[in-house]
Amino acid sequence: MAAMWQQLAALFFILGGVLSFPLGQETHRTATCGYESCHATKSNMLNVHLVPHTHDDVGWLKTVDQYFYGDRNEIQHAGVQYILDSVVDQLLKNPDRRFIYVETAFFYRWWKQQSSSMQQTVKQLVNEGRLEFVNGGWCMSDEATTHYSAVIDQMTMGLRFLNETFGPCGRPRVAWHIDPFGHAREHASMFAQMGYDGFFFGRLDFQDRTRRMMEKEQELLWRASDSLTAPMADLFTGILPNGYNPPEGFCWDQLCDDPPIRDDPDLEDYNVDDVVKRFLTIANSQALVYKTNHIIMTMGSDFQYENANLWYKNLDKLIHYVNAQQTNGSMVNLLYSTPSCYLQELHRANLTWALKTDDFFPYADDSHDFWTGYFTSRPALKRYERLSNSNLQTCNQLEVLAGPVSRKGPFGKGDSQTMKKAMAVAQHHDAVSGTEKQHVANDYARRLANGWQHCQVLVSNSLAALSGSTAERIYCDNLNISVCPLTESSKKFSVNVYNPLARPVTWPVRLPVNGTAYAVSDANGKSVDCKVVPVSRVTEEVRRNRGFAANELVFQVQAPPLGYSTYSVSRLQDGPPPASMQHRTPTAIQNKYLRVTFDPDTGLLSSLSNLETKQTIKLTQNFYWYNASDGNNLFSNQPSGAYIFRPNSSTPFIISRTAKTESVQTSVVQEVRQWFSPWVSQVVRLYSDSRALELEWTVGPLPIDDDLGKEVITRLDTSIKSSEVFYTDSNGREVLQRKKDFRPTWHLRQSEPIAGNYYPINSRAFIKDDMDQLTVVTDRSQGGGSIKNGSLEIMLHRRLLYDDVRGVGEPLNETSGIFPKGLVVRGRLLLSLDRPPSAADTHRPLAQEVVLQPLLTFTDGELHPNTRLEFSALQAALPPAVHLLTLSQWDKDLVLLRLEHQFQSWESKLNSQPVTVNLQKLFSTLEVLGMSELNLSANQWKEEMSRFDWTPQTDGKPLPKKFKDPSTWEVTLRPMEIRTFLLRVSLR
């Protein structure tokens, strides 16, 4: 593809003119793929679309590589390489046969191992629509615990491989999330913006399904944004009839034991008449709960088709014998099909469809079986995934800003690709979700660590090029537990602070040190206020013997947009002593923005005030645990597990009514350290320049010697009159309203008063009334709810003793070499108090800071005098409403850029307005020579993206609105809009 890009670049990039997407091979002349390759249907009959498919988890009970090779079959019999071998072989035997494939992570591995003649054969199958890709991302991402930026990245990666390998015929028309456990509105919005014509899934709440079956609303139009103009985020959505399994009695895989079709009347047990009769009964009853004379059946399941002959031989016969009944007056017509061919028939039906504007959380498959535990499961992996995303975006940006030297420079060969693949795999619905076996969770973490090793070389090379200093750079990945060998021992060192946000950032730095006094100066040599505080006992316990610092050096740094600043630190011989600890609870801590009070009797928070807006709320906060059900009770034998949250009482146990406290107050930071029990502690922290209160919690090892599984929450109780309503974000973007014991689309019969009111929180949740809004920004995905008025609870950690019988076959009971008695987890919640109309002006940028946090690198000793101590890649900071979402190298001269409006249309008087950005005046170090706009997943030119249009029942068909930009280089972003560009650039 690279060569072709270069020839086209000159033509295609002159002022953004658009040509067809450059493809690897000239196939489109002969291709009849996609909608043109569908088998004919019969308008006067019930058409049954049989869709042969396999569902291949990118890691679950086995690691992704074990699944690919078919290793460790004693755990689960599954080998993806053999599935693809077998399917291709069987497709060639009958041109009518069809197959769909989904997970590009596996297909890519398989493709690399094929001979060129096999690759040609497969291209032919794709060009004829016999092998069709659906969804097409690197994996089928989880929808509850993923962040939108990582989902966009993994979809872009998978779809790019398909585009470059197969051209237009490799582009999936349909999104396919048959297994994720509940469905997020933001995912539907992203799929719509990626150009998909429709979306199919398998799982939804059992009560929701019952109602939809009765009303024939299992196919609907999902309006997935309240800010983007319809139909920009409208997505036709179909709910599959059997999850993603075949109808009962019709599974012909080697993993199944249904009887084959025995069609020789001379042999024993002839069963054609029985099979046909049973099938017609199933088809006719399925037709009663769908709207058109077309129905779909998923013929396949987990890791099926390893011996595809079994399936296809029986499907060929099924189609033949059922259709033969048409001569006897049967009105049922069977055909090999794909989700897109089925979708095309629904579109041709030209009906109106029920409109949905909320989401599909939480998901329950029975009265006491709410899949809301995985919102928090494996909290350490969830944090590591989020941190890895931050590191990857920094790695991507620096690869662009430093050019080719980043990949091959003074520190060796670096790359971003390893990390991209590791992050893409981590988005899978059994990865970051926390629903995999322990050895698989370890493998996901190992991949991320390996990816970061590759990125570190690239980052070091880039910073060397930008700063002119090739001094070695040290990375300290354990700063959250006060471990960094360099700062602990060095008398003089410098700290480089790289800021991946497109606006300047102020950030607190805490470095483990053994000295008692230090001097810190910024890039201009100006002295920076810094203080030394003692390391807490809790931190000493958590870090075990990984570090030995007695103190922490605390100061605030500022870094320019998309750039770095350098601070130098020197140990002083005879400076003032470290700040001393007070062993009583202070009545209050405050800075110029916030004031927090404590109850002297309990040591707990008692109020929070915003000094700028002159508002105060009562606020108490404590830690509790729900006793996890072990499955032995009157109503149901469902235990709590990796997927399912089922407390055996609605009243949690309080861990301690009082906290032992000590406090330290300095000009840089004030903190109250609270100790609740040997396994729960917290630091309430206020930095001098911060508009947010930090709660740094440390939880674990959860004790289980009483044989009770524990689900630990923190609960904030306030004076806010929230009327049983609270708000959560969807995948880190749009905010949705949640109401206790309520679902917008059906009358809920609530049977789990706690678990049935839990929702995913990806980056923030809030409660509000007319006067006050308390927003909590999280550092990872967590589950939470508002069970009582004025209250918000967030689940932090879980340790369970039983498997919840959903297939993982293992209790969620995490230990490690460092923590053999149970995992200890540490994290941060950031609290802000504002007037509701302006709250988003605080929480939007705050949440982006937590997602894309500055990267600190360290250099020992004095820096060379010619070192460039400050750098920004932007000519000016972007406006507050605009977020730079993606800046990554596409190929030699091309860069992928995504700009995003990060406010909803109703959220802020100030920032919910359109904003215009000039792309030519964006970068200080890159010259933008040309640009062209793409769809969100960067696999189609924006101008060429056309989607099926659908009419909702309630109002008329929305007409696509075209907004015009002010000029060629100026792009206007409207609330919640993401725009994606390929830029042709050269380094200035």
Side-chain angles (χ1 to χ4, degrees):
M1 177 154 173
M4 188 139 186
W5 266 121
Q6 285 151 17
Q7 298 154 20
L8 286 174
L11 291 166
F12 127 87
F13 269 117
I14 297 165
L15 295 182
V18 171
L19 294 180
S20 62
F21 215 89
L23 304 165
Q25 71 281 349
E26 299 296 314
T27 52
H28 28 278
R29 285 194 297 275
T30 54
T32 51
C33 56
Y35 297 122
E36 290 162 29
S37 62
C38 299
H39 289 310
T41 57
K42 299 193 173 175
S43 59
N44 60 337
M45 292 194 183
L46 173 64
N47 295 277
V48 183
H49 294 250
L50 301 177
V51 178
H53 81 105
T54 180
H55 176 65
D56 298 347
D57 288 304
V58 183
W60 179 37
L61 309 181
K62 309 201 288 192
T63 68
V64 56
D65 291 348
Q66 288 166 354
Y67 271 135
F68 178 72
Y69 281 114
D71 194 10
R72 299 290 307 273
N73 274 351
E74 78 279 5
I75 299 176
Q76 178 188 12
H77 186 95
V80 175
Q81 59 170 340
Y82 307 124
I83 293 172
L84 289 164
D85 290 344
S86 185
V87 163
V88 168
D89 176 55
Q90 287 300 314
L91 287 175
L92 295 169
K93 295 197 163 139
N94 174 355
D96 287 343
R97 292 174 176 174
R98 295 289 181 269
F99 195 77
I100 59 167
Y101 200 72
V102 179
E103 294 86 5
T104 305
F106 284 131
F107 189 84
Y108 163 86
R109 284 165 161 82
W110 181 81
W111 181 258
K112 283 198 314 185
Q113 298 182 353
Q114 304 311 303
S115 66
S116 59
S117 69
M118 176 51 94
Q119 289 184 349
Q120 274 315 115
T121 301
V122 173
K123 282 179 181 173
Q124 192 61 34
L125 289 172
V126 172
N127 289 337
E128 291 169 10
R130 291 153 69 184
L131 172 62
E132 179 178 297
F133 295 101
V134 298
N135 212 63
W138 205 247
C139 69
M140 184 186 294
S141 59
D142 179 56
E143 298 193 44
T145 65
T146 44
H147 191 267
Y148 72 97
S149 69
V151 174
I152 293 169
D153 282 352
Q154 75 88 7
M155 291 302 296
T156 301
M157 190 157 136
L159 293 169
R160 180 179 184 179
F161 170 78
L162 295 176
N163 209 31
E164 294 182 350
T165 309
F166 299 105
C169 289
R171 179 170 68 79
R173 306 302 203 271
V174 166
W176 182 257
H177 267 214
I178 54 180
D179 195 24
F181 334 121
H183 303 281
R185 195 175 79 176
E186 197 58 43
H187 262 74
S189 175
M190 290 188 283
F191 287 147
Q193 295 172 70
M194 289 172 179
Y196 290 99
D197 285 322
F199 175 44
F200 292 95
F201 65 69
R203 298 181 186 272
L204 86 162
D205 187 280
F206 73 107
Q207 292 181 37
D208 195 2
R209 186 186 278 277
T210 304
R211 185 197 70 81
R212 288 182 180 278
M213 285 169 77
M214 279 161 40
E215 318 231 337
K216 294 196 178 181
E217 287 187 4
Q218 291 192 91
E219 289 158 335
L220 57 131
L221 185 62
W222 196 351
R223 183 150 292 164
S225 170
D226 60 18
S227 294
L228 298 169
T229 316
M232 201 170 157
D234 285 6
L235 189 64
F236 182 88
T237 301
I239 299 159
L240 297 166
N242 306 299
Y244 54 90
N245 297 311
E248 205 171 324
F250 293 87
C251 183
W252 289 305
D253 195 72
Q254 63 183 16
L255 299 169
C256 302
D257 43 23
D258 292 340
I261 296 179
R262 301 183 293 260
D263 55 348
D264 185 339
D266 297 339
L267 299 182
E268 198 187 343
D269 294 338
Y270 176 81
N271 68 350
V272 170
D273 301 340
D274 172 61
V275 168
V276 169
K277 188 167 151 238
R278 278 189 300 117
F279 188 84
L280 288 172
T281 305
I282 287 171
N284 285 313
S285 74
Q286 186 180 320
L288 297 174
V289 294
Y290 285 89
K291 228 169 158 171
T292 71
N293 64 324
H294 292 267
I295 60 172
I296 187 171
M297 291 186 185
T298 44
M299 306 310 276
S301 192
D302 289 7
F303 298 99
Q304 293 196 359
Y305 284 78
E306 195 172 301
N307 181 351
N309 180 37
L310 278 66
W311 258 116
Y312 282 116
K313 192 168 223 171
N314 286 284
L315 285 172
D316 285 352
K317 290 179 182 181
L318 183 70
I319 292 169
H320 173 74
Y321 289 117
V322 173
N323 288 352
Q325 292 299 310
Q326 291 169 12
T327 53
N328 304 334
S330 164
M331 299 301 286
V332 176
N333 180 50
L334 264 64
L335 59 149
Y336 277 117
S337 190
T338 65
S340 57
C341 292
Y342 174 63
L343 184 72
Q344 177 170 239
E345 295 297 344
L346 297 182
H347 186 246
R348 283 175 177 163
N350 201 17
L351 303 174
T352 62
W353 306 90
L355 190 68
K356 181 178 175 74
T357 56
D358 60 314
D359 65 359
F360 289 95
F361 287 119
Y363 160 59
D365 57 13
D366 209 339
S367 304
H368 299 282
D369 310 15
F370 278 88
W371 299 47
T372 55
Y374 80 98
F375 299 165
T376 295
S377 295
R378 301 194 188 279
L381 179 66
K382 281 180 165 62
R383 174 65 188 144
Y384 191 46
E385 180 275 333
R386 188 67 58 89
L387 193 60
S388 299
N389 182 44
S390 181
N391 287 338
L392 172 61
Q393 302 311 323
T394 290
C395 183
N396 285 339
Q397 292 175 7
L398 284 168
E399 182 174 14
V400 171
L401 299 178
V405 70
S406 64
R407 294 182 292 278
K408 197 175 175 193
F411 298 98
K413 281 188 176 168
D415 71 273
S416 57
Q417 205 58 25
T418 312
M419 187 68 154
K420 282 183 181 130
K421 284 181 186 157
M423 269 301 292
V425 161
Q427 304 316 304
H428 166 64
H429 57 267
D430 291 302
V432 66
S433 58
T435 55
E436 63 284 82
K437 281 190 181 291
Q438 185 62 51
H439 78 106
V440 181
N442 296 346
D443 183 66
Y444 289 129
R446 183 191 58 73
R447 283 170 187 280
L448 292 171
N450 180 44
W452 180 223
Q453 291 295 308
H454 285 246
C455 264
Q456 280 182 8
V457 179
L458 187 152
V459 168
S460 293
N461 285 336
S462 299
L463 291 174
L466 295 171
S467 70
S469 162
T470 55
E472 189 193 0
R473 285 176 191 273
I474 307 289
Y475 296 79
C476 286
D477 292 331
N478 288 329
L479 284 174
N480 66 327
I481 51 164
S482 298
V483 174
C484 178
L486 172 72
T487 62
E488 287 170 48
S489 58
S490 174
K491 289 194 173 67
K492 184 160 181 58
F493 58 91
S494 65
V495 188
N496 178 292
V497 184
Y498 178 82
N499 168 24
L501 292 172
R503 52 182 177 80
V505 80
T506 300
W507 187 258
V509 170
R510 308 177 68 89
L511 304 178
V513 294
N514 281 307
T516 55
Y518 287 80
V520 177
S521 57
D522 66 14
N524 301 318
K526 216 167 112 216
S527 169
V528 174
D529 188 15
C530 66
K531 290 291 179 278
V532 174
V533 299
V535 165
S536 71
R537 286 197 308 274
V538 174
T539 294
E540 285 171 2
E541 274 170 43
V542 176
R543 73 184 178 195
R544 306 284 149 111
N545 57 1
R546 288 177 283 176
F548 303 97
N551 299 317
E552 284 187 317
L553 172 65
V554 188
F555 56 100
Q556 284 185 293
V557 295
Q558 288 174 325
L562 213 67
Y564 66 76
S565 195
T566 314
Y567 288 77
S568 67
V569 180
S570 320
R571 189 163 159 178
L572 301 178
Q573 287 310 99
D574 46 356
S580 61
M581 300 301 304
Q582 305 294 321
H583 290 283
R584 57 182 198 326
T585 310
T587 50
I589 56 175
Q590 76 174 68
N591 64 12
K592 53 190 181 238
Y593 305 117
L594 298 179
R595 176 179 166 86
V596 191
T597 64
F598 293 85
D599 179 329
D601 298 330
T602 61
L604 304 178
L605 286 170
S606 59
S607 78
L608 174 62
S609 305
N610 180 329
L611 302 174
E612 290 183 291
T613 56
K614 303 188 170 44
Q615 60 190 125
T616 297
I617 57 166
K618 285 185 189 148
L619 168 67
T620 60
Q621 179 243 1
N622 209 327
F623 294 86
Y624 307 81
W625 59 278
Y626 288 107
N627 183 6
S629 173
D630 58 9
N632 294 320
N633 81 7
L634 198 60
F635 301 108
S636 154
N637 58 5
Q638 177 62 55
S640 234
Y643 301 89
I644 285 170
F645 172 34
R646 184 163 181 239
N648 64 10
S649 159
S650 297
T651 312
F653 294 93
I654 194 161
I655 289 165
S656 172
R657 293 188 185 284
T658 59
K660 291 180 186 162
T661 63
E662 50 184 30
S663 64
V664 59
Q665 296 189 330
T666 71
S667 55
V668 178
V669 67
Q670 302 166 63
E671 50 187 56
V672 176
R673 301 174 180 182
Q674 299 169 316
W675 190 89
F676 294 86
S677 81
W679 50 280
V680 175
S681 64
Q682 175 173 267
V683 182
V684 180
R685 201 176 270 140
L686 189 56
Y687 289 101
S688 61
D689 280 339
S690 180
R691 283 187 163 82
L693 178 69
E694 178 181 313
L695 304 179
E696 185 183 53
W697 50 271
T698 304
V699 177
L702 306 191
I704 49 169
D705 38 18
D706 52 7
D707 289 330
L708 301 175
K710 294 181 181 57
E711 327 227 17
V712 177
I713 63 161
T714 185
R715 195 175 76 212
L716 303 155
D717 294 309
T718 74
S719 52
I720 292 173
K721 299 174 184 65
S722 58
S723 322
E724 305 204 317
V725 168
F726 81 115
Y727 299 80
T728 65
D729 65 319
S730 181
N731 300 123
R733 286 202 88 219
E734 295 198 17
V735 169
L736 283 86
Q737 187 190 74
R738 312 296 193 182
K739 197 172 175 187
K740 188 183 167 188
D741 295 336
F742 175 78
R743 304 289 185 267
T745 49
W746 83 92
H747 184 71
L748 175 71
R749 294 187 304 283
Q750 184 62 279
S751 42
E752 282 287 330
I754 305 297
N757 282 308
Y758 259 56
Y759 289 87
I761 300 168
N762 295 108
S763 64
R764 82 210 70 193
F766 59 80
I767 49 174
K768 66 175 185 174
D769 56 21
D770 292 342
M771 296 304 293
D772 302 304
Q773 175 171 328
L774 177 71
T775 309
V776 181
V777 170
T778 65
D779 65 351
R780 74 200 72 196
S781 284
Q782 292 166 317
S786 178
I787 311 296
K788 291 198 197 75
N789 268 333
S791 140
L792 190 59
E793 66 180 60
I794 294 177
M795 191 186 289
L796 304 175
H797 198 0
R798 329 175 62 215
R799 189 177 191 188
L800 308 169
L801 305 175
Y802 298 91
D803 174 58
D804 54 7
V805 212
R806 290 303 182 280
V808 78
E810 209 175 79
L812 183 70
N813 182 358
E814 295 181 281
T815 59
S816 73
I818 296 168
F819 300 115
K821 291 193 170 143
L823 213 57
V824 180
V825 185
R826 175 171 278 184
R828 297 186 308 146
L829 300 174
L830 297 178
L831 273 52
S832 71
L833 174 66
D834 291 280
R835 299 288 181 211
S838 61
D841 300 332
T842 307
H843 74 67
R844 284 284 173 196
L846 189 62
Q848 291 292 12
E849 260 173 56
V850 176
V851 170
L852 290 184
Q853 58 183 53
L855 174 71
L856 306 183
T857 55
F858 301 89
T859 307
D860 198 13
E862 289 270 10
L863 283 173
H864 190 278
N866 294 342
T867 305
R868 186 175 179 183
L869 299 179
E870 208 158 40
F871 162 83
S872 171
L874 297 186
Q875 291 187 29
L878 285 178
V882 182
H883 173 55
L884 187 134
L885 177 60
T886 308
L887 179 65
S888 69
Q889 199 70 39
W890 185 262
D891 63 17
K892 197 160 93 47
D893 301 314
L894 296 176
V895 162
L896 186 67
L897 172 75
R898 286 192 187 93
L899 294 175
E900 158 187 9
H901 196 304
Q902 62 174 348
F903 284 80
Q904 275 167 271
S905 57
W906 48 268
E907 229 170 22
S908 160
K909 210 166 158 179
L910 191 65
N911 287 310
S912 296
Q913 308 291 336
V915 184
T916 299
V917 177
N918 185 322
L919 296 189
Q920 262 197 325
K921 294 182 178 162
L922 191 57
F923 299 104
S924 59
T925 56
L926 298 174
E927 182 130 20
V928 179
L929 308 171
M931 63 175 246
S932 228
E933 188 164 5
L934 299 163
N935 66 340
L936 181 59
S937 46
N939 65 331
Q940 277 182 289
W941 300 122
K942 182 77 176 280
E943 286 190 5
E944 290 182 4
M945 186 176 103
S946 72
R947 300 197 302 136
F948 284 168
D949 46 7
W950 306 87
T951 311
Q953 274 163 11
T954 39
D955 40 10
K957 181 182 287 187
L959 296 169
K961 241 189 173 159
K962 283 225 161 157
F963 295 107
K964 223 173 144 39
D965 287 322
S967 72
T968 307
W969 297 105
E970 290 177 305
V971 300
T972 301
L973 295 154
R974 285 168 177 75
M976 277 293 136
E977 192 177 9
I978 301 175
R979 296 186 64 178
T980 306
F981 302 92
L982 264 184
L983 305 182
R984 187 146 161 266
V985 299
S986 66
L987 283 171
R988 285 198 166 131

